[in-house]
């Protein structure tokens, strides 16, 4: 399941994120790559000790918190602190790879976050760089994703994916790993589809008795499948 969400960041947040990122020093993206991903990863990343990182992370997490479609699609249980990367010049691509299933939680030593869902928040305008297409290979083939700045894509961490080389300009983005309350991708998809359909139905016919019943069914399925 691949879900794109527009305008997750406001114009003001985008401007302040860019300002913070503009003052930062970047390091090789190898710092968070597993051995297999490290062979194809050639980009830059904000280091953990970057002064701007806590503020940037808070800005992104606040934005996710007020975005109901993100909640519906990801059903997040734990979000690993967001990372920031940059593709430009000689460090401009990330070949096809899969994300590590388990990641150490930096804020809680010795504990792990299971990566069910990966997300990319685009911070550069698409017309400001060539290439840099996030390419996701799922059961229905390859999907290219290049969104306007401030928009987010959510996709399964289990997919094979990569970023095509950036030929001109620079592509800055935020990437995240999320453990979902609903581990199974098929169950997550059913819940998302039902939630979105109910949202439309509610707008079209109001809180009728069947809508209330179906809403109850959604929550009962969530009760059955969610782990906290
Ligand atoms: Ni990845």
């Amino acid at each position: 399941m691949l879900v794109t969400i527009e305008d997750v960041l406001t114009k003001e947040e985008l401007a302040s994120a860019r300002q913070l990122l503009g003052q930062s020093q970047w390091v090789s993206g190898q710092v968070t790559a597993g051995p297999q991903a490290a062979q194809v990863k050639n980009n830059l990343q904000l280091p953990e000790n970057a002064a701007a990182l806590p503020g940037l992370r808070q800005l992104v997490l606040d934005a996710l918190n007020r975005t109901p479609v993100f909640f519906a699609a990801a059903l997040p249980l734990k979000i690993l602190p967001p990372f920031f990367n940059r593709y430009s010049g000689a460090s401009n691509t990330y070949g096809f790879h899969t994300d590590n299933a388990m990641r150490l939680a930096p804020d809680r030593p010795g504990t792990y976050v299971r990566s069910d869902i990966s997300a990319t928040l685009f911070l550069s305008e698409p017309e400001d760089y060539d290439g840099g297409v996030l390419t996701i290979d799922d059961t229905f083939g390859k999907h290219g994703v290049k969104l306007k700045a401030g928009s987010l894509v959510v996709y399964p961490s289990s997919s094979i994916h990569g970023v095509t080389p950036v030929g001109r300009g620079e592509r800055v983005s935020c990437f995240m790993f999320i453990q979902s309350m609903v581990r199974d991708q098929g169950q997550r998809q059913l819940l998302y589809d039902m939630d979105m359909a109910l949202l439309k139905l509610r707008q079209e016919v109001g809180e009728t008795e069947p809508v209330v019943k179906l809403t109850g069914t959604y929550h009962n399925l969530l009760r059955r499948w969610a782990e906290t």
Side-chain angles (χ1 to χ4, degrees), residues 31-34 37 41 80 83 94 97-106 111-115 118 175-177:
V31 285
T32 54
K41 190 173 187 183
L80 210 65
F83 300 104
Y94 196 167
H97 66 279
T98 189
D99 294 335
N100 279 0
M102 305 305 293
R103 292 187 178 257
L104 272 172
T111 65
Y112 286 84
V113 173
R114 189 186 65 232
S115 172
S118 301
F175 64 105
M176 287 160 275
F177 302 106

Side-chain angles (χ1 to χ4, degrees), residues 16-38:
S16 102
R18 282 176 181 156
Q19 201 220 345
L20 287 165
L21 287 161
Q23 303 161 349
S24 299
Q25 299 288 319
W26 299 84
V27 297
S28 162
Q30 298 280 334
V31 285
T32 54
Q36 182 249 333

Side-chain angles (χ1 to χ4, degrees), residues 172-203:
V172 176
S173 66
C174 168
F175 64 105
M176 287 160 275
F177 302 106
I178 299 146
Q179 179 170 340
S180 179
M181 289 186 273
V182 176
R183 179 184 205 151
D184 183 85
Q185 202 193 136
Q187 291 174 338
R188 247 185 355 253
Q189 169 102 52
L190 283 172
L191 288 167
Y192 177 73
D193 290 345
M194 193 172 179
D195 200 4
M196 290 301 103
L198 272 166
L199 198 68
K200 271 199 178 153
L201 206 55
R202 207 170 280 123
Q203 283 162 1

Side-chain angles (χ1 to χ4, degrees), residues 6-171:
E6 289 202 345
D7 300 324
V8 167
L9 295 187
T10 63
K11 283 211 162 43
E12 294 72 32
E13 286 170 330
L14 201 51
S16 102
R18 282 176 181 156
Q19 201 220 345
L20 287 165
L21 287 161
Q23 303 161 349
S24 299
Q25 299 288 319
W26 299 84
V27 297
S28 162
Q30 298 280 334
V31 285
T32 54
Q36 182 249 333
Q39 292 180 25
V40 291
K41 190 173 187 183
N42 177 26
N43 63 2
L44 297 174
Q45 195 164 311
L46 217 57
E48 281 301 308
N49 61 6
L53 198 52
L56 283 162
R57 283 177 163 165
Q58 201 52 53
L59 183 148
V60 171
L61 292 172
D62 287 347
L64 294 181
N65 267 331
R66 55 157 203 258
T67 305
V69 184
F70 169 74
F71 184 86
L75 297 167
L77 177 63
K78 300 178 195 169
I79 304 178
L80 210 65
F83 300 104
F84 295 82
N85 63 14
R86 182 174 132 184
Y87 296 79
S88 67
S91 302
N92 62 14
T93 189
Y94 196 167
F96 280 109
H97 66 279
T98 189
D99 294 335
N100 279 0
M102 305 305 293
R103 292 187 178 257
L104 272 172
D107 43 346
R108 278 164 298 152
T111 65
Y112 286 84
V113 173
R114 189 186 65 232
S115 172
D116 298 317
I117 295 165
S118 301
T120 298
L121 176 62
F122 289 77
L123 298 172
S124 301
E125 294 299 349
E127 59 271 22
D128 290 345
Y129 59 96
D130 292 336
V133 178
L134 172 64
T135 308
I136 302 163
D137 200 354
D138 71 7
T139 43
F140 298 106
K142 284 197 175 84
H143 303 271
V145 183
K146 183 168 175 174
L147 303 178
K148 64 178 184 140
S151 299
L152 179 82
V153 61
V154 167
Y155 59 99
S157 301
S158 55
S159 66
I160 302 287
H161 56 267
V163 176
T164 63
V166 171
R168 173 191 60 93
E170 64 167 35
R171 172 197 192 271

